[in-house]
């Protein structure tokens, strides 16, 4: 096979993954357009009411093979996921789409920090510099129109980034979910999250005083399009493209392309939503984008260094082969 054909195949695989990063970046504006502070839970119920049946049908065989321990573990992860969606969506309502997309990208920085604490490993100076750049960027981003206390929405998005980090670490370290396929694990997690949303809606929380179906009845054509965009493209399309892509290319390449999400969030927020963060805010945007990209690269290098060291220790003086164990798959909360 010629190099040109290989390159063309790689590009055809990369393009859908990049499209996922774009739709994720635009999801903040889409969700903001159909959600108010009074209808957060209703919108979440409606969004995933479209998603869950499709996932159940697509992964029915895998779901039947799940053990009780795997279902229980996925259910616990679903509770964390519910918290992430609630905090993230309430935060989004009270801040700009640009701020939301960039602050939540701090997950790329927080996760390696938390992982290093759990494993007792050290992060490089390059990563710490990138982390400092990202944090400074967020400070400037939230102070773009003059120094003042961050908005409640910005603080909620920061809490959502911390919650995403907890979710990633829990998925990586929970023994009970090991061996479950990605589709089944995601379906049970989302099912657990929807159960939480349904219970809140039944209690009249976040539904505008009515029911999710009453909220849906009040939607216009634009709001229905926004809801379907979140359900079909930002959730179903994104998930199935990831599953398809990791079979055709490396998880690292998929992760790198998905890491461009905050770039698209900034582009969509500034160009389409008309967000004007001020000159300090624009400096903050640049620092967050550069810091998270640099930090992601540095964290990958640190992880590879730790794997090599672990492999050297496992081999000992007599052994010359072997490799460090692969890390478990991780799924984003988006």
């Amino acid at each position: 096979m010629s190099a040109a054909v290989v390159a063309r195949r790689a590009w055809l695989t990369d393009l859908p993954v990049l499209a996922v990063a774009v739709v994720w970046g635009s999801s903040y504006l889409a969700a903001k357009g159909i959600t108010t502070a009074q209808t957060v839970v209703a919108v979440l119920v409606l969004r995933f009411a479209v998603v869950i049946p499709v996932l159940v049908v697509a992964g029915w065989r895998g779901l039947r093979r799940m053990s009780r321990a795997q279902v229980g573990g996925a259910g616990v992860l679903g509770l964390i996921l519910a918290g992430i969606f609630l905090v993230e969506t309430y935060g989004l309502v009270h801040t700009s789409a640009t701020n939301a997309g960039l602050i939540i990208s701090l997950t790329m920085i927080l996760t390696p920090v938390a992982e290093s604490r759990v494993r007792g490993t050290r992060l490089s100076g390059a990563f710490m510099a990138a982390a400092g750049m990202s944090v400074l960027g967020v400070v400037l981003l939230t102070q773009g129109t003059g120094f003042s206390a961050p908005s409640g929405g910005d603080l909620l998005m920061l809490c959502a980034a911390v919650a995403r980090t907890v979710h990633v670490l829990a998925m990586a370290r929970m023994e009970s979910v090991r061996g479950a396929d990605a589709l089944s694990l995601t379906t049970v997690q989302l099912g657990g999250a929807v159960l939480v949303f349904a219970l809140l809606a039944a209690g009249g929380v976040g539904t505008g005083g009515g029911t999710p179906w009453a909220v849906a009845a009040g939607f216009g054509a634009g709001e229905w399009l926004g809801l379907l965009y979140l359900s079909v493209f930002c959730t179903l399309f994104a998930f199935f493209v990831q599953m398809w892509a990791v079979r055709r290319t490396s998880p690292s390449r998929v992760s790198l392309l998905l890491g461009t999400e905050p770039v698209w969030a900034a582009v969509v927020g500034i160009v389409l939503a008309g967000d004007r963060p001020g000159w300090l805010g624009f400096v903050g945007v640049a620092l967050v984008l550069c810091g998270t990209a640099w930090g992601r690269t540095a964290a990958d290098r640190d992880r590879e260094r730790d794997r090599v060291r672990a492999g050297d220790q496992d081999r000992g003086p007599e052994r010359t082969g072997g490799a460090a164990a692969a890390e478990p798959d991780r799924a984003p909360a988006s």
Side-chain angles (χ1 to χ4, degrees):
M1 187 180 297
S2 69
V5 173
V6 172
R8 184 170 178 270
R9 283 193 173 184
W11 171 246
L12 290 175
T13 302
D14 289 349
L15 197 58
V17 179
L18 190 60
V20 170
V22 173
V23 297
W24 274 354
S26 65
S27 66
Y28 303 98
L29 181 59
K32 193 173 177 64
I34 65 172
T35 313
T36 68
Q38 290 74 41
T39 61
V40 166
V41 174
V43 169
L44 289 172
V45 169
L46 294 169
R47 173 181 176 179
F48 293 111
V50 176
V51 171
I52 292 294
V54 177
L55 293 180
V56 169
V57 171
W60 179 244
R61 289 185 179 179
L63 288 170
R64 293 184 63 182
R65 287 196 298 267
M66 289 184 76
S67 67
R68 184 174 300 179
Q70 288 173 332
V71 172
V76 171
L77 292 172
L79 296 179
I80 301 174
L81 197 60
I84 293 171
F85 279 120
L86 287 168
V87 174
E88 191 173 297
T89 310
Y90 273 111
L92 177 61
V93 168
H94 295 290
T95 191
S96 67
T98 301
N99 281 27
L102 291 173
I103 294 173
I104 202 69
S105 72
L106 286 179
T107 304
M108 298 182 202
I109 298 296
L110 295 173
T111 300
V113 171
E115 193 175 33
S116 71
R117 299 290 294 178
V118 170
R119 293 185 172 184
T121 57
R122 295 183 62 183
L123 292 167
S124 64
F127 177 86
M128 298 310 296
M133 180 185 292
S134 300
V135 171
L136 176 60
V138 168
V139 171
L140 294 180
L141 179 68
T142 60
Q143 306 299 311
T145 56
F147 286 96
S148 60
S151 71
D154 291 336
L155 293 175
L156 284 173
M157 294 309 297
L158 184 58
C159 290
V162 173
R164 281 195 185 197
T165 299
V166 172
H167 183 256
V168 169
L169 291 181
M171 285 191 68
R173 300 187 68 83
M174 284 183 68
E175 294 288 342
S176 59
V177 297
R178 299 261 172 106
D181 67 272
L183 178 55
S184 300
L185 183 59
T186 299
T187 302
V188 176
Q189 284 188 79
L190 287 178
V194 170
L195 180 59
V196 173
F197 304 149
L199 291 174
L200 290 174
V205 177
T207 58
T211 65
W213 323 119
V215 172
F219 278 178
E223 290 159 319
W224 272 109
L225 285 174
L227 180 66
L228 290 174
Y229 181 76
L230 288 171
S231 299
V232 175
F233 289 97
C234 299
T235 307
L236 290 174
F237 169 76
F239 178 75
F240 286 114
V241 164
Q242 287 178 84
M243 288 186 63
W244 168 79
V246 295
R247 290 181 173 90
R248 295 174 61 93
T249 185
S250 69
S252 297
R253 190 177 181 91
V254 172
S255 179
L256 182 65
L257 290 166
L258 293 179
T260 64
E261 176 192 344
V263 176
W264 303 110
V267 170
V268 170
I270 293 170
V271 175
L272 298 183
D275 294 341
R276 294 294 178 264
W279 72 269
L280 277 177
F282 278 111
V283 173
V285 169
L287 289 176
V288 171
L289 294 178
C290 293
T292 52
W294 183 17
R296 192 181 186 87
T297 302
D300 286 343
R301 283 200 299 263
D302 291 346
R303 194 174 292 115
E304 184 60 28
R305 177 202 63 200
D306 292 337
R307 282 176 178 161
V308 170
R309 287 179 178 174
D312 289 343
Q313 291 173 359
D314 289 343
R315 282 195 297 268
E318 293 85 13
R319 297 179 63 188
T320 57
E327 292 184 63
D329 291 336
R330 297 174 180 179
S334 297

